[in-house]
Each structure stands twice: as C-alpha cells, then as structure tokens.
C-alpha cells in the first residue's frame, strides 16, 4: 500500500511539472559560410544535462536526449525547427524535466547518389572509413550552448562547424594500412568507393623477401587481434577477458614476436556502407557487390602485395 501511494505521489508530481512547464522551440540556422549549397540530411538536436563534453560526443544507449527532423534541400542560410512535433528520445520534447541543459545540433549530411541500378538516392557517403554520424568527416554541427528548458522560450542555434577529414593511421614495422578502390563498387554507386585493410605482418617478414605466408582474415575493424606494442594503456595484462575469452593486445604482441609462434599474415577490414558501418562482405541489392569486390579485387590485391599464399588451404576466415 505504501509503495502504491509513493508511485501515485510521484505521478502527481510529474504531472504537475508537465502542466506548469512550457515546451521550448529550437530554431537552427546553417551558416552560409559553412554550407553555401542547399542542404539535405538528418538534423539531430542533442540535449544533455552534463557540460563536461560536447553533447554530440555523448550519444549512446544511456546518453542524452535527442530530437530529429529531415532536411530536404534546405537553402543556404535557411532555418530548421525542432519542437513538440519532432521525433524524440526518450520521449517528446515537452516531457523533458525543466532545468539547465547543454544543447548542440549535428547534421548527418546526405549527398545525391545516382546508382547503376537506376535509383537516385540521398545518403550519407564517405570513403569507407567506419565513422559514427556525430563525428563523421564532412558532417555539420553547432557550438555547445547552455539553455534553460521548460520556460517556453524560442532558442536559436547556429550550425557553423564542419567535421574535418579523419587522418588515416601511419604504417609501422608490424602494421600496414592499405586503401583499395573497388571498380565494382564504384560502378554500382556512381562514385569512388573504397575498402580499407589493416595488415599485420609476421616476425621476419622483411628478412625473408621471397617467403610467402598463409593468411588469417579476421573481418574486424581494428588492428587484428588488437595487436599493440604499447603496454602503458593496456589493462588486464597477463589475464584473459572473461567476456571475450581473449588476451590483451599487448600480450598477443609478445606471443606474435616470440621465436616459436607460427608465422602468418593477419588482416582486418573497414567497409562502411551508406546504410551500416559494415557490409559484412556480402553482395546486396541495397549496398552493392561487396562480396564480389572482396573476393575478386581486394583479397587478390593484398595477396600479391604482401606475399600471401593465394590458395584456399592458406586462407583462414
């Protein structure tokens, strides 16, 4: 009975707050200095209770509130509006508890793509690098701004920043980074389309220039087996992760460079599509011939460049 009364009391308090709070209206201007052409994409307004970081960098399942609308050829200097009618998480804009917040707008920019199958679509495009929309190269955002929510005021934000291109990692003695433009995918998408490979070389690779090696294709996104020569930032050295069942990348480095460890080449891939961070190396009506590109272009290229044994028995997925 006591629990029931507590729940009812809490509901009454929330209802009273909702009745007295007034829903704000957010108006976003896109600076012509940063975007001179009409703009299509997805505008997301992030509203966070913490000011310790940019709200767009806190987006996640347990992250801040978000509200979004589509932009369809918004003219240079045009204005977009987020209000009670906008799609929101965890609920409509009017359900946010009144108080002080930090807000930031981020725009997932779409480009027009004319595909070989005859479809013309508007999608976020990139160079194949795995990126999250809130920090993806070319996307737009505003400066964080402190506001008060719940007073019914109209709040103005100016989108004036563009995310710069990411810097590709540099090669090391052990790890080589390769970018391959796929002719098949470029033809399908009507624009240059790339797949990135991270190649981990075995001990003695440069000392034996005629030797060929079997290959493990890991189909992950990072350096294969999380290989790293740095120990200072690695946690849990000498232990097995209870969730993944794997040792740390530094412990793997120690095994990889040991005298008795098997000598092979390991490869991981980045192959982000406009629809998802990974194509899974499959042919798709929506994403294109990623399976053909991997089998007929990318892997043969890597096998020739890095002296891999180009035989089925020497390939392990």
């Amino acid at each position: 009975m006591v629990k029931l009364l507590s729940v009812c009391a809490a509901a009454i308090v929330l209802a009273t707050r909702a009745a007295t709070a007034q829903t704000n209206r957010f108006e976003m201007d896109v600076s012509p200095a940063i975007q001179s052409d009409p703009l299509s994409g997805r505008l997301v307004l992030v509203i966070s209770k913490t000011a310790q970081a940019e709200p767009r960098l806190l987006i996640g399942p347990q992250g801040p509130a978000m509200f979004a609308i589509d932009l369809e050829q918004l003219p240079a200097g045009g204005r977009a509006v987020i209000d009670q009618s906008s799609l929101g998480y965890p609920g409509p804009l009017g359900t946010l508890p009144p108080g002080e917040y930090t807000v930031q707008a981020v725009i997932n920019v779409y480009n027009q793509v004319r595909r070989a199958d005859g479809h013309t679509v508007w999608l976020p495009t990139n160079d194949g690098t795995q990126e999250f929309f809130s920090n993806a190269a070319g996307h737009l955002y505003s400066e964080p701004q402190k506001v008060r929510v719940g007073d019914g005021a109209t709040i103005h934000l100016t989108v004036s920043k563009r995310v710069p291109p990411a810097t590709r990692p540099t090669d090391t003695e052990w790890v080589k980074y390769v970018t391959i433009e796929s002719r098949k995918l470029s033809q399908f998408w009507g624009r240059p389309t790339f797949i990135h490979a991270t190649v981990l070389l075995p001990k003695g690779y440069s000392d034996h220039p005629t030797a060929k090696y079997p290959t493990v294709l890991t189909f992950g996104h990072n350096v294969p087996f999380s290989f790293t020569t740095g120990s200072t930032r690695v946690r849990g050295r000498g232990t097995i992760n209870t969730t993944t069942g794997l040792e740390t990348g530094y412990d793997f480095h120690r095994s990889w460079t040991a005298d008795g460890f098997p000598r092979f080449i390991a490869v991981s891939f980045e192959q982000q599509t406009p629809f998802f961070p990974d194509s899974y190396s499959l042919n798709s009506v929506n994403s294109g011939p990623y399976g053909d590109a991997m089998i007929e272009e990318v892997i043969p290229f890597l096998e020739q460049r890095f002296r891999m044994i180009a035989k089925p028995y020497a390939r392990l997925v």
Side-chain angles (χ1 to χ4, degrees):
M1 185 65 179
V2 174
K3 290 184 178 180
L4 178 59
L5 291 174
S6 299
V7 171
C8 291
I12 292 172
V13 170
L14 291 175
T16 303
R17 288 179 179 176
T20 57
Q22 295 178 307
T23 303
N24 296 89
R25 172 186 171 95
F26 290 86
E27 296 182 347
M28 272 71 63
D29 298 315
V30 180
S31 170
I34 199 70
Q35 179 73 25
S36 59
D37 297 326
L39 177 63
S40 292
R42 185 73 169 166
L43 168 65
V44 179
L45 178 67
V46 189
I47 303 182
S48 173
K49 285 295 289 184
T50 176
Q52 295 179 349
E54 295 184 58
R56 67 187 174 97
L57 303 180
L58 301 175
I59 293 174
Q62 306 301 322
M66 298 184 294
F67 306 89
I69 58 172
D70 288 327
L71 302 179
E72 296 185 9
Q73 293 295 278
L74 182 73
R79 177 168 295 177
V81 175
I82 295 283
D83 57 19
Q84 179 66 10
S85 65
S86 305
L87 181 67
Y89 166 85
L93 182 58
T95 62
L96 275 182
E100 303 294 329
Y101 291 83
T102 300
V103 302
Q104 187 175 31
V106 58
I107 299 177
N108 191 356
V109 177
Y110 294 174
N111 297 302
Q112 188 181 61
V113 176
R114 301 181 185 276
R115 302 198 320 191
D117 59 5
H119 291 288
T120 298
V121 290
W122 288 87
L123 296 166
T125 58
N126 75 350
D127 71 347
T129 302
Q130 188 181 42
E131 298 177 302
F132 190 61
F133 84 91
S134 62
N135 200 31
H139 291 187
L140 309 177
Y141 63 99
S142 68
E143 293 280 8
Q145 183 172 323
K146 293 184 181 298
V147 302
R148 178 164 185 81
V149 168
D151 60 4
T154 296
I155 299 169
H156 297 274
L157 293 86
T158 299
V159 176
S160 59
K161 302 290 185 180
R162 186 182 299 274
V163 180
T167 302
R168 295 296 300 173
T170 55
D171 291 350
T172 69
E173 173 189 1
W174 301 100
V175 182
K176 309 299 179 183
Y177 298 92
V178 184
T179 298
I180 303 106
E181 180 178 354
S182 165
R183 179 184 58 82
K184 294 178 180 294
L185 291 171
S186 296
Q187 181 179 6
F188 175 84
W189 282 106
R191 62 186 306 278
T193 305
F194 302 90
I195 292 176
H196 305 286
T198 302
V199 180
L200 176 61
L201 299 177
K203 182 177 181 179
Y205 180 86
S206 59
D207 298 330
H208 304 281
T210 61
K212 291 191 175 184
Y213 299 86
T215 307
V216 172
L217 306 171
T218 67
F219 288 93
H221 305 300
N222 303 312
V223 178
F225 305 109
S226 300
F227 176 96
T228 179
T229 59
S231 61
T232 56
R233 296 185 178 182
V234 175
R235 297 179 179 179
R237 283 185 294 158
T239 64
I240 299 297
N241 187 295
T242 56
T243 301
T244 66
L246 302 176
E247 62 186 350
T248 70
Y250 179 73
D251 288 324
F252 179 78
H253 152 260
R254 296 177 64 185
S255 299
W256 184 260
T257 57
D259 290 338
F261 198 81
R263 303 298 180 224
F264 60 92
I265 294 173
V267 185
S268 63
F269 298 98
E270 281 185 271
Q271 42 185 324
Q272 177 155 313
T273 80
F275 300 109
F276 197 69
D278 198 311
S279 76
Y280 292 108
S281 304
L282 297 174
N283 291 344
S284 165
V285 173
N286 290 321
S287 294
Y290 272 90
D292 291 344
M294 189 66 70
I295 294 172
E296 299 175 22
E297 296 176 321
V298 175
I299 292 176
F301 174 85
L302 294 173
E303 288 179 336
Q304 182 176 15
R305 177 166 175 177
F306 292 100
R307 307 198 315 266
M308 302 173 183
I309 300 173
K311 299 291 184 181
Y313 74 84
R315 302 184 188 107
L316 176 65
V317 176

